[in-house]
Amino acid sequence: MTDNSILLNAYRLMCLVKSMADIYEANRSTCKYVHSTSRGHEAIQLATAFHLQPQDFVSPYYRDESLILGLGFTPYQQMLQLLAKGEDVFTGGREYYSHPNYRGYDKPTIIHQSSATGMQAIPTTGIAQGIQYLERHLPEKLIKGKEEELPVVLCSLGDASVTEGEVSEAFQFAVLKQLPVIYLVQDNNWGISVTAEEARAMNAYEFAAGFAGMNRIQVDGSDFEASYNLMQHVINTVREKRIPFLVHARVPLLGHHTSGVRKEFYRKEEDLAKHQLHDPVPQLRKRLLEKGVEEHMLLEIESTAQKNIAADFARAVASPEPDPLTVHDHVFAASSITDEKGERNPAGADKVIMVDAALFAIREIMEQHPEAVLYGQDVGRRLGGVFREAATLGEQFGDHRVFNTAIQEAYVVGSCAGMSAVGLKPIVEVQFADYIYPGFNQLVTEISKSCYLSCGKFPVSMILRVPIGAYGGGGPYHSGSVETTLLSVKGIKVVYPSNAADMKGLMKAAYYDPNPVVMLEHKGLYWSKVPGTEEAKTAEPAADYILPLGKANIVLAAEDMMIANGETCVVITYGMGVYWAKAAAKHFPGQVEIVDLRTLYPLDEALVFERVKKHGKCLVLTEEQQRNSFAEALAGRISKHCFQYLDAPVEVMGALNLPAVPMNMGLEQAMLPNEMKTVAILDQLLSG
């Protein structure tokens, strides 16, 4: 038996939700931004919210306004988000309705999550992964509740989203590691206009049976008492036993899919009538009357809800719009690393290859920071990475800090959002740049937008290591360049070192940067096996050496006299391009300056423009296929900013515009830039 006070509170909130839906519908022209309501889902959402505690984490989905109310947020706060107002406490007018995020001590933490259905499953499972790590290895950093109660993580999903492959990746990791996470699946039988019968062979409860170790249970999610008691059992079980659980709640859909995709567009009257029979509001009202609550009390609750919602809505409509000047705020969290520090060339230091420079940097980081963890495919102690880039780290730091994942690039990338939210610093990797695409959805949809759409509350502090580039017959799926694709994503930083010292210094800066940083690491430079790349080996910088992101470097200077005579040009490049340019420059003594960008975003435009203006002639050199590349875009910016200083059009050279790098080494070389191809372009520029 559920206490009457709990039932009355649930009914009061249900009446608020119904009044909210009614006033939104009555003011469609005012509520112009797309939104969904929780009508039909109120019971299971409130029943869940009532059992969550401030130390917990929850990821609502876009129909979860009742859950949000149940956590203690007000209708007015939700309305500000509905209307995209400047005082929206969640995102300052940047996000859809029912897309909250919150970091505080009075309510559960809510990380940023996108509208891409099912995508929140991976970041939220990453939270549970991080909590398990803290619980077992850094318990002093784990926030607990009253009487030392441990946190649980709740991920809310619509049933149609469970068909997403990334949900399966989350389930797989949750059961493999036995994480304290609850997947609340609200099944209203619709996926926009697609019925369950059309879209899936089984419901979420049946699907979960395929994941050994996933505890599962079903409930009538329109029955508040049944939902309340079941969620109490599930949440208490996960809080105590630290195991994953799936709750499949059957609910009606009483509102539209969204304000823009209305129910009358695709639903038949008999379907709507059937769902109406399971409306949680009259069900709970009837139950309260059976338990002796007087009619006049319920009428008073209903009347008060209507009045309060009307007042809140009028106040929200009148609230100010966001200041347009704030549109640039919170793309990144501020980094403390702004200056080059430490010893780059310590006396007596041995030369190291690039792959070892990265290894040593991460080793020093992990020795100093117990919150640093490294994971990905084959990086554990048995192999230490397919390029041995993590060799010995597993033995030194243990399997809990350096570990393998399954072939799950989406999970590897997306889990970083959750790990970062609990205070860990994940260093993860994909094996080859060509394999980044399965993880790209998480990188774009969750990682890159988190800081901006949470107004700075949830920057994702992570490093994503990506071996990149072609050499030696790697073939079409192990040789690709992806920097242009990455640079099209706003909200991430992209680094591309060309030598060991830069690798170590940039890796350190990437660790201390509170934002997502992608480290592109050229396989052909890892060991300096490619002829002409011996200078990628450098003296190992000291442990305190840090090289800030966004600082390019002049690796070869031209002679002053030749510059004064207009007989020089500058090559803007990075990665393997540095070595093609160095080899080509030997054919033009004193006439070629080479700028190594080192970081592709943020880009050191100031140095680039300064050097182009100095020389008047410029080549942008890249390994990527040239057409529509970052290099061409950079050349366009150079042309615009340096137009009056140019003596010739800015030249660009990249790989041939082919769909992939061929396996045959002769064909590979025919595709890629090289020394002599660079010489030909420089000769044209310098002979003018």
Side-chain angles (χ1 to χ4, degrees), residues 498-520:
S498 68
N499 60 70
D502 288 349
M503 171 72 88
K504 188 172 185 182
L506 289 167
M507 186 71 77
K508 292 288 185 77
Y511 182 81
Y512 293 112
D513 197 300
N515 302 288
V517 180
V518 180
M519 295 283 298
L520 300 178

Side-chain angles (χ1 to χ4, degrees), residues 157-179:
L157 299 157
D159 196 72
S161 72
V162 177
T163 58
E164 283 277 6
E166 294 185 18
V167 175
S168 296
E169 291 194 21
F171 286 2
Q172 175 72 26
F173 201 90
V175 298
L176 179 68
K177 301 295 184 181
Q178 286 295 288
L179 301 178

Side-chain angles (χ1 to χ4, degrees), residues 92-112:
R94 298 175 178 190
E95 254 293 20
Y96 301 102
Y97 186 57
S98 288
H99 286 64
N101 61 81
Y102 184 74
R103 189 189 288 276
Y105 294 101
D106 60 330
K107 298 179 183 69
T109 300
I110 307 173
I111 66 169
H112 157 78

Side-chain angles (χ1 to χ4, degrees), residues 330-338 451 456 459 493 512-515:
H330 306 299
V331 176
F332 293 109
S335 175
S336 61
I337 306 300
T338 57
C451 186
K493 299 183 178 183
Y512 293 112
D513 197 300
N515 302 288

Side-chain angles (χ1 to χ4, degrees), residues 582-598:
K582 282 185 174 182
K586 293 177 182 177
H587 296 262
F588 308 95
Q591 292 185 271
V592 177
E593 179 175 294
I594 302 171
V595 174
D596 180 359
L597 293 175
R598 303 196 291 197

Side-chain angles (χ1 to χ4, degrees), residues 573-631:
T573 190
Y574 55 94
M576 187 63 79
V578 172
Y579 298 95
W580 293 325
K582 282 185 174 182
K586 293 177 182 177
H587 296 262
F588 308 95
Q591 292 185 271
V592 177
E593 179 175 294
I594 302 171
V595 174
D596 180 359
L597 293 175
R598 303 196 291 197
T599 302
L600 307 186
Y601 194 88
L603 184 67
D604 193 349
E605 287 187 345
L607 182 65
V608 169
F609 296 158
E610 172 197 314
R611 303 318 298 172
V612 172
K613 290 175 182 179
K614 188 81 171 176
H615 294 275
K617 294 180 283 291
C618 174
L619 166 64
V620 182
L621 177 59
T622 179
E623 181 172 326
E624 276 197 295
Q625 291 91 326
Q626 181 174 328
R627 192 68 56 85
N628 300 324
S629 64
F630 158 69

Side-chain angles (χ1 to χ4, degrees), residues 159 162-163 187 196-197 199-210 248:
D159 196 72
V162 177
T163 58
D187 186 357
E197 292 75 19
R200 60 184 192 246
M202 65 201 80
N203 67 31
Y205 176 81
E206 296 160 340
F207 182 64
H248 177 244

